[in-house]
Amino acid sequence: MCLIGFQFGRDCGAVKFVMSVLIALLAIVEATPILVKSKIDRHSWNLPGGEYGAVVDHEMDWVQRIAIPALSARDSSLPGQWRGILSVDSYGLVKGGEGGLLIEAFEPRSGKILGTSSLSFKGERAPRDHWAPIASSSQGNQSVENVFDGDLKTDWHSQYSPEKIAGPHWVGLMFGEDRWVRGLRYVPRQEGFTNGVAKDYQVEIREKNGDWKKVAEGRTPRKVADEREGFEVNFKEKYLVQGVRFVINSDWSGGGFGTAAELSLLDDPLPPRKKAVEPLARAWIEIPAQVMSELAGRELALRVKAVGPEPAVIGEVRLCRVHESPTQKLLGRSNGGLGPDKLGAGLLGFDALVEHQQTVFTIMNVHADSATAHAGLRPGDVVISINGRALPPNDLNPGWKWFYQSHEALLGRASEAALKKGQSSLSLGVLRKGEVVDLEVVLRRQREFTTLDPRDDAEAAMMLEDLIRYLEIHQRQNGSWGDHPIKTTFAALALLSTGKPKHEKDVKRAVDWAMEKYSRPDRYGNLGFWFGGYLCTLYSEWYLQTGDQRVLPFLSDLQEWALDGQHQSKWNVPALGHGPDGLPYDQKSLVAPSCHLLLYEALAMRCGVKSEIWELLLPYMTLAWSDPKEGGHGALGYNHSYKDEAEFWFRSGCFAMTCHLRDEKKEMESAMIDFMMAHHPWIRNSHAYGEPGGAWGLLAFNLCAPDKFAELIKEYAWWFSLAWEPEYGLRFTTPHMGAPYMGEDELLCAAYALVLQAPQRSLHLTGQSKR
């Protein structure tokens, strides 16, 4: 349970505290975090990267009350207790002399001190950006940043949802150093109605150590609304200011909104903004479980004092509520949610519970005889740093922040970097009873990955050996892996890829199990087109490698069953659902099961089965594709009405493989592969199942664009480095989308045993061209 991102600010000029509180409850089904944010006063200290800090000096103690929500019904029903982890970031001193901070947590009614921490600095000057945008409010993606991006197609809009913020509205700039200003140019938003286009306005400046004061006012010409022309406001004189803002007292629509496309100064252009920096230090206070229990539904107070002659700059303050014995019962549903998730750190020997936007993670279990077990890590430990670097807010959203800055990525990248430098360990900072304990974790590997191609990367070859051994050990007596067609398909294909005679009998056992269990297509069940597509992919490869004609009727029977299961979609073209029962989502259906059928059919054609599903579904698939010639992005959508840019990975990859195997629709194949390459951090966000969807996408690169596959898989060396537990296999981490209902380690080891062998091109699925 995490209460994240309390940020507080003080108006330095007025020497008083100004606080704007925004409480945002993130309602995620069966997810633990509750996000509560207080926005810092954006007139205090603009940090690089668009963040804001507050200045703390001797003039007044800096005090803030923090509401502690009651536990949810689910969380309160779990055995065990919850403790609090309070942290305060600091960026150093205003002038870089000497000083420090004393942080106290206390019970506001009694004044009882619950915990303290301190920071000291000598010569560390807080970084400050040249300028920062400010606004009275903003709406979603129409943020204040858009006003200073030089793009007239983007704009800022005052908040109108979930509730409308009343005017006057304003937008402007705060400067890192005092600056001469002689006027502004306001450009209204270029599209839409006139709501928010400034009518009656005023311009205000903030001089050093002063309040905002008006220096100009008037009414914009009508052509500002009608023709959306820019409008200049020239001051009577130049002013040396800390900030300037354009205030919209009324808009031309009369609706009481505020908007702007661009705002610029009538003097020298703004310099480029500085890159974001990490806090210089973070102070920690641990709140015992009994105290947190007593405070539930009440308040905790925070007091920050300046120590020494220098004012200090603080940034975010966070309070996390963490369970003393976290278990899988705390994990959230990942189908579009933000966790909490399981993090499998195989190399280090533990599984952790990670949460979105939290700056700590908690240990769920420590593997016996692992590196962290020997280092003294315990279940319930709260990890706060890696190699002395405090953890940034974790990001469980798919995308570039996850790829570079998630706790998973940081751990993986730290391990791989250490191996590359020849180092034998890394350090984990753990908070125990208010004290930070550094644990040195020995890395049970000696080398980093190079190409991740087992043919020339010795480390990847060792990992592949572990994955194959895992599959050998975990095959059931009946020939399956977990009595599940998807795991069995991946595992059997991975063993078949080795080309070793000793594995042929194991694959035959899997094929025999599948033919017996699913002797007729209707036995595939409610997810028939998924399961059938998987197993008939295995049958096709088995026949192409061995000539075993027993599987051929299964290929034809599935095709006939699929053709019988067709229905007219909303767009008057045939479509297939999960199975033959009908089309979901008001006859819109979805493309993913069809992708599996189309892929198997492309392989079955090489077995002599005629093509019919492709001809049936191509109009539907084409409608679902986001065609670049029509202004689309190139990926395959969920269906014609939802051509998203977030859950595209599996469906685009699988359809691209089909096009390649059939040597048809090359423009679709190329567009999908290009889009996937440019957006690869969405690899584990495949709709319905993040894994094995991630593996399918990599297989598509290997088949359709081998050079890009070689480039891309190396980008994920950090993930393989963290997930691989030597002499075991890969440990499972919850994907962004798709709950682990198909298995965890056993699914991961099977899917990536196939991916790692893909460059050998030993299967038709991976590039073999002849029987």
Side-chain angles (χ1 to χ4, degrees):
M1 171 73 68
C2 180
L3 297 83
I4 305 174
F6 290 87
Q7 296 181 313
F8 315 110
R10 185 170 69 81
D11 187 323
C12 302
V15 196
K16 64 181 181 181
F17 290 105
V18 178
M19 182 187 69
S20 171
V21 179
L22 168 66
I23 299 180
L25 299 181
L26 182 61
I28 302 174
V29 178
E30 294 198 359
T32 303
I34 298 176
L35 305 187
V36 185
K37 288 190 177 182
S38 288
K39 286 186 176 178
I40 204 163
D41 171 24
R42 294 194 166 197
H43 309 162
S44 186
W45 192 273
N46 42 303
L47 293 162
E51 298 297 327
Y52 296 84
V55 178
V56 180
D57 58 25
H58 291 286
E59 297 179 12
M60 188 182 299
D61 288 347
W62 195 74
V63 179
Q64 174 61 40
R65 293 190 174 198
I66 303 170
I68 310 295
L71 288 169
S72 69
R74 185 193 69 157
D75 291 341
S76 60
S77 69
L78 296 174
Q81 295 181 301
W82 300 78
R83 53 183 167 149
I85 308 294
L86 180 68
S87 67
V88 180
D89 285 345
S90 181
Y91 289 83
L93 305 174
V94 169
K95 296 181 180 179
E98 291 189 35
L101 294 168
L102 173 66
I103 300 100
E104 299 174 325
F106 64 95
E107 204 284 320
R109 290 185 294 185
S110 66
K112 179 182 177 181
I113 302 295
L114 305 175
T116 63
S117 187
S118 62
L119 296 171
S120 60
F121 305 103
K122 186 174 182 179
E124 294 93 347
R125 185 172 183 176
R128 198 169 193 180
D129 211 342
H130 301 299
W131 56 273
I134 56 174
S136 51
S137 68
S138 61
Q139 180 65 38
N141 291 331
Q142 293 175 284
S143 71
V144 65
E145 303 284 344
N146 295 340
V147 181
F148 303 97
D149 64 0
D151 185 354
L152 292 178
K153 294 180 180 179
T154 63
D155 55 54
W156 159 76
H157 200 298
S158 61
Q159 181 180 316
Y160 54 81
S161 177
E163 60 179 351
K164 178 183 175 183
I165 300 296
H169 307 286
W170 49 264
V171 60
L173 291 161
M174 291 299 299
F175 302 112
E177 297 179 353
D178 292 352
R179 178 185 177 113
W180 290 98
V181 176
R182 66 176 180 84
L184 293 176
R185 176 179 171 80
Y186 164 82
V187 180
R189 71 172 186 164
Q190 300 297 291
E191 297 180 353
F193 298 107
T194 57
N195 57 301
V197 175
K199 184 179 181 181
D200 294 306
Y201 72 88
Q202 65 190 53
V203 178
E204 297 177 345
I205 62 169
R206 181 174 177 178
E207 296 177 298
K208 190 170 184 178
N209 299 325
D211 293 321
W212 292 100
K213 74 174 185 180
K214 181 171 60 179
V215 294
E217 62 180 334
R219 173 170 292 186
T220 63
R222 180 71 207 195
K223 63 181 180 180
V224 170
D226 294 341
E227 301 175 24
R228 306 300 169 92
E229 288 190 3
F231 174 72
E232 292 187 359
V233 181
N234 286 275
F235 303 158
K236 294 180 179 179
E237 59 180 289
K238 275 191 174 184
Y239 296 96
L240 187 63
V241 304
Q242 288 184 328
V244 59
R245 63 188 187 186
F246 185 83
V247 182
I248 301 172
N249 293 317
S250 69
D251 65 302
W252 279 102
S253 73
F257 301 99
T259 65
E262 289 292 310
L263 192 71
S264 55
L265 304 177
L266 296 183
D267 45 18
D268 296 332
L270 293 170
R273 298 178 74 181
K274 298 178 181 178
K275 293 183 178 180
V277 296
E278 294 182 5
L280 186 62
R282 181 174 292 162
W284 300 92
I285 298 176
E286 187 170 351
I287 311 298
Q290 181 61 38
V291 175
M292 285 298 292
S293 177
E294 294 170 356
L295 290 174
R298 294 165 49 194
E299 289 182 326
L300 169 71
L302 171 74
R303 178 166 48 229
V304 182
K305 299 180 178 180
V307 178
E310 270 265 21
V313 176
I314 65 170
E316 290 187 280
V317 178
R318 296 179 180 86
L319 177 64
C320 299
R321 183 160 52 187
V322 299
H323 200 276
E324 290 187 321
S325 302
T327 68
Q328 299 233 28
K329 292 182 178 180
L330 289 171
L331 299 179
R333 170 78 169 173
S334 59
N335 240 1
L338 290 174
D341 287 345
K342 173 185 175 180
L343 170 62
L347 176 64
L348 305 179
F350 64 79
D351 296 317
L353 185 143
V354 291
E355 297 188 47
H356 185 60
Q357 291 299 298
Q358 186 163 306
T359 54
V360 303
F361 62 82
T362 50
I363 302 301
M364 290 200 296
N365 63 77
V366 178
H367 306 158
D369 198 34
S370 67
T372 43
H374 289 289
L377 192 70
R378 311 165 190 163
D381 271 344
V382 176
V383 177
I384 64 171
S385 65
I386 304 170
N387 289 334
R389 177 188 175 189
L391 293 172
N394 190 32
D395 204 313
L396 296 182
N397 269 314
W400 294 103
K401 285 187 177 180
W402 164 78
F403 180 71
Y404 284 114
Q405 300 175 12
S406 66
H407 293 175
E408 178 186 18
L410 291 175
L411 275 171
R413 292 176 186 278
S415 66
E416 194 67 2
L419 292 168
K420 194 170 185 177
K421 294 177 182 177
Q423 298 171 350
S424 60
S425 65
L426 59 79
S427 175
L428 296 179
V430 175
L431 189 65
R432 288 180 182 164
K433 296 181 180 180
E435 298 294 328
V436 178
V437 179
D438 290 318
L439 303 179
E440 203 69 20
V441 181
V442 175
L443 302 175
R444 293 185 171 177
R445 287 170 49 202
Q446 285 75 47
R447 296 169 296 192
E448 79 278 14
F449 291 114
T450 55
T451 64
L452 272 166
D453 185 337
R455 296 174 300 178
D456 56 25
D457 184 341
E459 202 74 355
M462 290 177 61
M463 179 169 62
L464 177 58
E465 286 180 12
D466 280 349
L467 300 184
I468 297 298
R469 188 181 304 112
Y470 184 101
L471 300 182
E472 293 172 334
I473 292 171
H474 287 84
Q475 186 175 20
R476 295 192 176 189
Q477 283 296 111
N478 64 10
S480 77
W481 278 265
D483 281 333
H484 199 289
I486 294 178
K487 289 185 287 188
T488 298
T489 294
F490 271 115
L493 289 174
L495 293 183
L496 193 61
S497 291
T498 66
K500 295 180 179 179
K502 70 173 185 176
H503 289 140
E504 187 172 310
K505 61 181 177 59
D506 298 322
V507 179
K508 182 179 181 300
R509 289 171 53 210
V511 170
D512 290 345
W513 164 83
M515 289 193 300
E516 180 179 354
K517 181 166 184 172
Y518 303 102
S519 58
R520 302 191 312 269
D522 57 3
R523 290 192 174 181
Y524 288 129
N526 293 331
L527 296 176
F529 296 158
W530 295 85
F531 287 0
Y534 264 100
L535 287 178
C536 285
T537 296
L538 171 60
Y539 295 156
S540 298
E541 288 286 3
W542 174 248
Y543 173 78
L544 291 168
Q545 302 300 320
T546 67
D548 187 348
Q549 296 186 15
R550 296 179 304 149
V551 300
L552 295 180
F554 290 86
L555 304 181
S556 300
D557 289 348
L558 177 61
Q559 188 181 77
E560 292 177 9
W561 192 57
L563 294 174
D564 289 342
Q566 66 179 283
H567 298 268
Q568 281 296 106
S569 68
K570 178 180 178 179
W571 302 287
N572 294 317
V573 295
L576 299 173
H578 295 90
D581 293 344
L583 303 184
Y585 318 125
D586 298 322
Q587 299 300 108
K588 295 179 182 178
S589 194
L590 69 169
V591 306
S594 298
C595 287
H596 279 294
L597 291 174
L598 290 166
L599 180 63
Y600 115 77
E601 186 189 57
L603 291 169
M605 288 172 62
R606 299 188 178 190
C607 303
V609 176
K610 63 181 179 179
S611 173
E612 294 188 62
I613 301 176
W614 172 267
E615 288 74 13
L616 175 76
L617 292 179
L618 186 57
Y620 173 73
M621 305 300 286
T622 303
L623 283 172
W625 179 44
S626 183
D627 189 346
K629 292 180 180 177
E630 298 176 359
H633 47 70
L636 186 62
Y638 188 84
N639 52 40
H640 183 52
S641 64
Y642 184 46
K643 299 180 181 182
D644 64 290
E645 298 181 56
E647 302 156 17
F648 58 85
W649 185 264
F650 157 72
R651 63 175 96 104
S652 298
C654 193
F655 190 78
M657 293 175 76
T658 301
C659 294
H660 189 89
L661 289 167
R662 298 181 65 96
D663 196 22
E664 296 188 52
K665 295 296 180 182
K666 287 298 183 181
E667 74 281 5
M668 297 180 77
E669 173 190 340
S670 177
M672 292 178 194
I673 291 295
D674 288 347
F675 184 84
M676 292 172 70
M677 190 69 183
H679 299 81
H680 66 77
W682 281 259
I683 185 172
R684 294 195 308 205
N685 199 50
S686 300
H687 184 79
Y689 56 162
E691 289 293 358
W696 275 120
L698 289 173
L699 289 170
F701 275 96
N702 172 75
L703 182 65
C704 304
D707 291 344
K708 291 182 179 179
F709 172 82
E711 176 185 348
L712 182 58
I713 197 167
K714 286 191 292 185
E715 291 288 326
Y716 288 87
W718 63 265
W719 176 75
F720 285 103
S721 183
L722 180 63
W724 175 31
E725 181 177 325
E727 300 183 2
Y728 173 80
L730 294 171
R731 292 288 185 176
F732 183 84
T733 291
T734 309
H736 299 120
M737 198 166 192
Y741 47 77
M742 286 178 288
E744 296 191 0
D745 295 358
E746 65 271 27
L747 176 64
L748 212 60
C749 290
Y752 284 92
L754 179 59
V755 169
L756 287 170
Q757 296 179 90
Q760 298 174 11
R761 310 184 90 73
S762 55
L763 300 179
H764 287 252
L765 192 69
T766 56
Q768 189 181 98
S769 59
K770 61 181 180 179
R771 284 183 57 179

